[in-house]
Amino acid sequence: MNALISVSDKTGIVDLARALHALGVGLISTGGTAKLLEAEGLPVTEVAQVTGFPEMLDGRVKTLHPKVHGGLLARRDMPEHMAALKAHGIDTIDLLVVNLYPFEATVAKPGCTLEDAIENIDIGGPAMVRSAAKNWKDVAVLTDASQYAPVLAELKSAGKLSDATRFALSVAAFNRISNYDAAISDYLSSLQADGSRALFPAQSNGRFVKLQDLRYGENPHQQAAYYRDLQPAPGSLVTGAQLQGKELSYNNIADADAAWECVKTFDVPACVIVKHANPCGVAVGAHALEAYEKAFKTDPTSAFGGIIAFNRPLDGAAAQAVSKQFVEVLIATDFTPEALEVFKAKANVRLMKIALPAGGETPWDKGQNAVDIKRVGSGLLMQTADNHTLQMSDLKVVSKKQPTPQQLQDLLFAWKVAKYVKSNAIVFCKDGMTMGVGAGQMSRLDSARIASIKAQHASLSLKDTAVASDAFFPFRDGLDVVVDAGASCVIQPGGSMRDPEVIAAADERGVVMVFSGVRHFRH
């Protein structure tokens, strides 16, 4: 049995080679890998000795040779293949260990030049991987260090690798080549004439890994599966672990994402309750229990069967309160032993633990998507994600009446929530909690009226509340509705041709109006 080893990343390679040698496997290697193995005292044959042709062109040509690919591609069950190998003095290669030039890491570096990128496009490695993977019935191919230990364990216990193992390795190898080629395509097709990179490449190559098949899709007659990005952002939903409960459904996942994306934007303890992709209750508090109790008060009816998310660990006291209602999915950064004990009696409740990212400068570091994608008929809409965070310094007071410090805090809170409510969105808030949410209506007036009705049903007073509108008021009538309901201050983007009319209405009604300068449509 012969193994050809040619790796860019040398992690674990010496231990693997030493173990293979101990099993009687002959070692063949290239350039730097061969020198490393020789330095470790391992007997290794350089590829140049096998091919009878020296490595050349700064290593660009070394394994592109019939004595390499013949040894990989020959079918052992075909006498004519084996006869051809014998006639040309070619030995079989039964195990290939290859990882590729670090193209993805190279182009991710600031200041990467086209020349740097080109020099990190591997040619011989992918060619060998494809040959070995195609001939999986006879050849095993390892393309990642995580595969070394299980492959060695099977070789030691069984003396050979099973067909199932070789096939799984083959699939992993073709997936790696596919991802590698896609990364090259993405990079090259994003280059512009001046050498800069376009945000949206001329060809987009999506790479996703299936996490699980789902029982059905949005409706029972639809089929569905759950995928994650090849490299998911830290602290995103797909990085979470389900601790108990039934399998997540398509709708569970969509709603859980809406809840988690909203709750993790708060710096203080917060709770978000989502129903049908819209927050029906959002609040902050001194601890998880207070945040939950305030969020639940907003709309107890809609909270039934909802998704609840906390940006803090869930303790026993909060768990006891949540357990009194019917909840589909419960998300937190952690669960205390007392909280887990509470939900043991509710085995169907899905508990999700997601660690918040440490933070950083980029959306990805903060666990946010950099790009959002929406499927349309035979196409995609791509856009940068709505990661804008409004600061106090961004606010522009346009009314004669000036806001109090408490009103400013309530306005910022309302604005943060409105960003996650489907358009047209109207959100009433006060003292760090939602008081009424109007979502997804064709008319902003209707959203305002629905928010008021929700508050009435929950027996909440909207007197002196702050209101956020995700887009501008096109007429004063929307403002009149929220002021009639009790609002004392309003935040909206501004930008309408009738802004002067709406501002004048705010002054007439004696309320504060603040412009954010940013719209948050969410369709």
Side-chain angles (χ1 to χ4, degrees), residues 313-369:
L314 192 75
D315 58 20
Q320 287 284 0
V322 173
S323 69
K324 295 175 183 177
Q325 74 162 103
F326 171 45
V327 55
E328 288 274 6
V329 183
L330 182 57
I331 308 170
T333 59
D334 205 351
F335 294 82
T336 66
E338 293 79 10
L340 292 174
E341 188 65 30
V342 168
F343 284 100
K344 274 187 179 179
K346 293 178 173 285
N348 287 335
V349 176
R350 304 159 176 91
L351 301 186
M352 288 285 295
K353 175 182 173 181
I354 309 176
L356 282 171
E361 295 301 317
T362 68
W364 193 88
D365 293 326
K366 297 175 182 177
Q368 299 172 313
N369 291 331

Side-chain angles (χ1 to χ4, degrees), residues 254-441:
D255 287 350
D257 185 61
W260 181 244
E261 288 299 305
C262 182
V263 80
K264 72 182 182 183
T265 63
F266 292 95
D267 296 323
V268 296
C271 174
V272 174
I273 305 174
V274 162
K275 191 70 173 289
H276 295 302
N278 276 301
C280 61
V282 181
V284 296
H287 42 69
L289 175 59
E290 182 184 5
Y292 166 71
E293 289 176 336
K294 290 167 68 177
F296 183 72
K297 285 179 183 177
T298 303
D299 190 352
T301 301
S302 296
F304 181 84
I307 310 293
I308 303 178
F310 294 88
N311 64 350
R312 293 291 189 275
L314 192 75
D315 58 20
Q320 287 284 0
V322 173
S323 69
K324 295 175 183 177
Q325 74 162 103
F326 171 45
V327 55
E328 288 274 6
V329 183
L330 182 57
I331 308 170
T333 59
D334 205 351
F335 294 82
T336 66
E338 293 79 10
L340 292 174
E341 188 65 30
V342 168
F343 284 100
K344 274 187 179 179
K346 293 178 173 285
N348 287 335
V349 176
R350 304 159 176 91
L351 301 186
M352 288 285 295
K353 175 182 173 181
I354 309 176
L356 282 171
E361 295 301 317
T362 68
W364 193 88
D365 293 326
K366 297 175 182 177
Q368 299 172 313
N369 291 331
V371 174
D372 280 341
I373 298 173
K374 181 175 290 189
R375 196 80 165 93
V376 295
S378 294
L380 297 174
L381 287 172
M382 300 181 69
Q383 64 175 351
T384 56
D386 186 3
N387 294 326
H388 182 272
T389 300
L390 192 68
Q391 305 296 328
M392 190 75 76
S393 58
D394 298 326
L395 301 181
K396 180 182 178 183
V397 180
V398 295
S399 59
K400 292 177 182 178
K401 191 170 185 178
Q402 297 296 302
T404 66
Q406 182 59 52
Q407 284 178 323
L408 285 173
Q409 291 301 321
D410 285 340
L411 287 169
L412 285 175
F413 178 85
W415 185 252
K416 184 173 287 191
V417 175
K419 176 180 173 181
Y420 295 94
V421 177
K422 300 287 187 179
S423 297
N424 288 307
I426 294 289
V427 181
F428 288 81
C429 298
K430 188 177 182 180
D431 297 330
M433 69 174 279
T434 49
M435 306 292 284
V437 179
Q441 298 305 303

Side-chain angles (χ1 to χ4, degrees), residues 69-78 81-82 85 92-94 128-141 166-167 170 174:
H69 287 272
L72 292 170
L73 283 166
R75 287 181 53 175
R76 280 49 161 180
D77 62 342
M78 294 185 66
H81 279 203
M82 302 311 292
L85 292 190
T92 58
I93 299 172
D94 311 287
M128 288 192 294
V129 168
R130 289 177 68 89
S131 291
K134 176 176 180 175
N135 201 25
W136 64 269
K137 288 187 177 180
D138 297 309
V139 182
V141 53
R166 287 195 306 276
F167 183 73
S170 171
F174 278 120

